[in-house]
Amino acid sequence: MKEKILLFLGADWDKSLLIGLPIALCVLVTLFLDFFGFEVPTALYVVDGLLILGAFLHFTITQGLVTYVFKRTGEALVVVMVIATLTFLLLRLVPGGPFDQEKALPPEVKANIEAKYKLNAPIYEQYFDYMAKLAQGDLGESYKYIGRPITDILAETLPSSVQLGIYALLISFLIGIPAGVYAASRHNTMADSLTMITAISGVALPSFLVAPLLILFFSFYLEWLPPALWEGPEYYILPIITLGVRPAAVIARLTRSSVLDVIRSDYIRTARAKGLSEMVILYKHVLKNSLIPVLTFSGPLVAGVLTGSFVIELIFAVPGMAKHLIQSVSNRDYPLILGTTLVFSLVLVFANLIVDLLYAYFDPRIKLT
Amino acid sequence: MRAVLMSLLSLTLILGTAGCTKKKKADYDLDIATTLRINISTEPPSLDWHKSTDTTSALIQDNMMEGLVEYNLTDKELGLKPALATEWRAENNNQTWFFTIRKGVKWTDGQELTAQQFIDGWQRLLTPATAAEYAYFLYGIKNARPFNEGKLTDFSQVGVSVTDKGELKVELTSPTAYFPYLLTHHSTFPVRLDVIAKHGDQWIEPGKIVTLGAYTLKVWDHDKAIVLERNEGYYGEKAKTKHILAYMINELSTALNLFNAGKIDAQTQLPSTELRELRKRAEYRETGILSIYYYGFNVKKPPLDNPIVRKAISHAIDRKEVTQMLDGGQIPLTSWVPPGMFGYEPNMGTEFSPDKAKQLLEQAGYKDRSKFPKIEIGFNTNDDHKRVAENIQAQLKRNLGIDVELKNEEWKVYLKSLKTDPPHIFRLGWLADYPDPDNFLNLMTSYSENNHTRWGSKEFDDLIAKAVGLATQEMRAQVYTEAQKILTEKDVPVAPIYASVAHSLVAPRVVDFPFNSMQRFVFKGVSLK
Amino acid sequence: MSTGSTSAVIQSPSVSPSVPRKKPQSLWGDAIKRLKKNKAAVVSAYFVLLVCLVAIFAEQLAPYPFDIQDMSKILQGPTAENWLGTDSLGRDLFSRIIFGARMSMAVGIFTAVISLVIGVFVGAVAGWFGGKMDAVLMRFVDILYSVPTLVLLILVKVIFDSVQMFENPELKALTGITLALSVVGWVTLARVVRGQVLQVREMTYVEAARALGASGPWIVIRHVIPNIMGPIIVLLTYQIPSNILFESFLSFIGLGLQPPFSSWGVLANEGWRSLRTYPHLMIWPGVALFLAMLAFQLFGDGLRDAFDPQMKGKT
């Protein structure tokens, strides 16, 4: 029995599965509990964190990638600093200031405000001031939400955004990969074409059109799900689907083409010639190899989910951070714009780093230097 | 390795199942039957009533705090009634005011209200370091302005003090008939400096904040919701509804969906294109508000430097067509002061007349329309402003034969353009700070920060200055009529378009929802069926 | 938002190594032959062509001008006079969708072209000169990749909206949005072009040209660029719909095209809030958008397969 399972899972990636599966299982259990509205014990998060960290360390050390990871982390920090600088400068190019409003302020009041936020200082001074504070982890105070530290705002809104993003990514993989494999296994048939047309349709509509359609159907026609808010599992479903549709479609297409690629390769032919069953071939050899391109796409995928989440957060009233990303720009709330931009950049940069590491892990031919 | 992983895994699962007992709270454990659920659109920028400047924060503050006086919301004309002051009187031709502070009012921590707490509040508002935007609200008080500028550092010289009888005495720089109206505003509320000193910027969080209104702040779940709870120690009649749950739903169509799904009881802003359908519903209400929507002319930009051209354009705009298109019950307006307060002149201004408009344009020397320079209508990016601008563009083409271009700008960019180089014609609106015509007419004085037309008239300025000192409403109304004539018939630096209307949906179970022309949402009188 | 659809295909290793590098003529001939066999792609190509024609001849095709208002016909459903109904100013929705095709296509194509010029230039310079130049340029590209697209897009859109360099009102309306989208759009192109140039530069005939004393820029223009046209064209076919979608997304935040002109994105955005009351306002622009996206994708897929004989040959 055990052999069979292992065979089914692909014996030659035994090792990766032995590490990967428990981690995935733990994380999934956590997500599952969280999704269904249970108060997840902190210990569980800690265990998840430790598991991931442990696997990560184990991998970097055994593969001799410690210096590489350090180097990349350093680079990432530099990139984030550059982004902070760019954004800071770009903000000053954008016309209109944070305290311009419909009812104009008397000059005295304006002077007081500018003095308080040091907006009357030369730009380079403001810049160095900001960077110095940033280095200490202080992102300043919001102009719009008077007196509120940016870190507080981020800490309060990030969890919902992360929840939304992770669920969306999860379902996009859960739908996208099987759909892609299915289409590839039925290559050049009706089923293949249908799956792919569906997938293309998934990227053909902007989410602000998909969302109202889903709300109309599920909330008002069927009356199954609430039309908005973020208060429990039934509330999560529509936003997650709306956000997940696009990445799911992209993953399906990607999986299909890379599975096709692998199927045509010589070693699969050899495997076939050896008389291994189709199922074994598909899971043991094909899936592993064809997941690599899908994996490399995870970086841009994270970016897409981050960007797309704004529409979802707005339409479904999710108390997340992407909303602040947009609204802070219209408010010219400089510290908040910078804060949210930095968080998003950090997520992107590290997503890319992790993807590169996973890439190296799954494909030993790739050397990271 | 394997053993370690397996044990970790089982540990996780055990922990997971162990933690499965507690459900997350969704609606803050409130009983819906005694909770009024509303939508305040956004996270309130600050609950500090000296620092906030927006209507969302004001709504929460108005329910947990009070000023010396408050609006009588059941009065159509919005008179004032006693709140923290039991009575008040003016001396010296409306220039010195006395307020008797109510006895026995208790803050939520049990301390009694004193007159000094008002002075503390005003001093805080005016202190330069507070950087309060609404500091200018008190600029009418003697020496308040120099104190706010930092030129004067001794607050005792500012014209506010406590008399021997314990009254609050306010000295103004000039006669101001409407002064008590300012005291309904949150920026003039009293404050507990000891609480602020104790908690710093965090003093506005639940558990720390000390207030005295009909409700207290129970939960502030940032970016999600606020829960207010009835203040059982309130000095007046206790609030009728136990809790108020205020969601922060930004998107109007989302709020409408939630209303339709029965998740919120009242929504006081509606998507404008839906009004046509929504007005068929029993829950729908239209409320006239003290707000105008107007097009301003940049009188320094040719050809609009010629008053005849401005007049021609104003005559060529059929306000009725605009309001019909918007279909939200807006009232076409050709004069300046909106209906709902004295000084409203329904028959004043440039009436719609394409013939007159064409005649005037020809008189100005543009018989050949091709000689008419290209002009621009500017507005800030917004679907409704866009619709109005597109409609007026079409009207000017149809009624006057001139081509205008539309230019929309993002809000803050637009504000900057208005300050530095306003387009030929620009859209703006004005919402009353206090229900007095002065608030509207003052806007167009040559020294007003909000007059972006570049137009100024000594005659007009003098009339406005004169009116605030007059004793009776009739006398003031007469002067305002004269001023409005200059503004909308003689010089025409502005073309008023309509007086705005607020649209709301309120569930049938809500009784006595506070509809009023100042959009003050004080919920203590609201009950639920 | 829609970066996914384009970069996905391009970054997939199954595509990039298979650059056709034979003589251009046979490449194009083969490609077209292969394309013709792909029915979905052919139908899509015709549809794209149709949209282009509609965009060009909008004045002749539309029953009404796009901005004529009729206050007696506000927000009507489909009638004999207005086939797809009217909007909140009584304008004919069908005509507005036809004119919307023009603006949407203009945004898509202009942006793609500007991105192409910048992307090819930067990519070619980085790939050809290599070394420090390459390192600096590519690091810059990396940084742009890590900036959240949305923030960058909004900021540059607000800045570029004040750029006024055309008298023509349609071009004026397009300037801000096109420039803003290009700032974001060229990055992917630069990466791909650089990769291609790096490969082509080592080819014998290029080395031969170099040995014969041809100058760098000449070789790049004469030999390298024509050889990487295939992947570039495929990329462009993906860029156009992606730009159109991005534009609709900017309309959503209120930063789209300047009125009174409407793209499909602007129209859809005017309509989505009224789905329950006036469904036609959202459905028809949505359908137009959907069909065009679908066609561009299928056509793009067809082109990619056509230019990638390695892949097709094996089926």
Side-chain angles (χ1 to χ4, degrees), chain A residues 83-109:
Chain A
I83 290 174
T85 310
L86 277 181
T87 319
F88 190 93
L89 294 177
L90 212 51
L91 282 179
R92 307 301 156 132
L93 283 179
V94 175
F99 298 100
D100 293 339
Q101 45 190 264
E102 183 154 24
K103 299 197 171 174
L105 296 173
E108 298 89 336
V109 173

Side-chain angles (χ1 to χ4, degrees), chain A residues 79 82-83 90-91 93-94 187 200-201 203-209 212-213 216 220 246 250 253-254 261 264 293 297 300 307 310-311 314-315 325-326 329 332 341 344-345 348-349, chain C residues 1-2 4 8-9 11-14 143 145-148 150-152 154-155 158-159 238 245 248-249 252-253 268-269 272 275-276 282 286 289-290 293-294 297-298 301 311 314-315:
Chain A
V79 167
V82 174
I83 290 174
L90 212 51
L91 282 179
L93 283 179
V94 175
H187 187 46
I200 296 175
S201 311
V203 289
L205 268 182
S207 45
F208 68 87
L209 297 187
L213 287 171
L216 185 67
F220 291 106
R246 179 172 295 273
V250 176
R253 280 163 54 100
L254 211 53
D261 249 18
R264 294 187 197 110
F297 178 61
T307 316
F310 165 69
V311 179
L314 198 74
I315 296 184
L325 187 72
I326 311 286
V329 178
R332 305 289 190 277
T341 309
F344 273 52
S345 313
L348 278 183
V349 168
Chain C
M1 185 183 179
S2 55
V9 184
Q11 292 190 344
S12 131
S14 64
I143 288 172
Y145 253 106
S146 312
V147 182
L150 204 55
V151 183
L152 187 64
I154 296 171
L155 290 180
V158 175
I159 295 172
Y238 287 122
L245 271 189
S248 76
F249 182 63
F252 178 83
I253 355 186
N269 194 52
W272 73 266
L275 179 62
R276 294 186 76 191
M282 167 178 148
L289 202 58
F290 180 76
M293 292 300 115
L294 209 60
Q297 283 286 345
L298 288 171
D301 289 356
M311 185 155 180
K314 282 184 182 167
T315 358

Side-chain angles (χ1 to χ4, degrees), chain A residues 26 33-34 37 39 44 98 100-104 107-108 112 144-146 156-157 235 315 324 332, chain B residues 12 20 22 24 43 45 51 133 139 145 148-149 222-223 254 263 410 412 419 429 431 433 449-450:
Chain A
C26 284
L33 287 176
D34 177 66
E39 203 76 61
L44 197 52
D100 293 339
Q101 45 190 264
E102 183 154 24
K103 299 197 171 174
E108 298 89 336
N112 288 337
K144 169 86 180 174
Y145 303 101
I146 305 161
E156 270 150 12
T157 52
Y235 293 87
I315 296 184
H324 282 302
R332 305 289 190 277
Chain B
T12 316
C20 277
K22 219 162 104 197
K24 273 184 194 167
E43 157 92 354
K51 291 183 175 173
E133 293 187 28
Y139 275 8
R145 194 165 186 146
N148 187 232
E149 264 177 290
H222 289 284
D223 278 294
T254 306
K263 294 262 176 195
E410 193 256 3
K412 296 263 178 178
K419 225 184 288 169
L431 175 70
D433 295 312
E449 307 272 347
N450 291 303

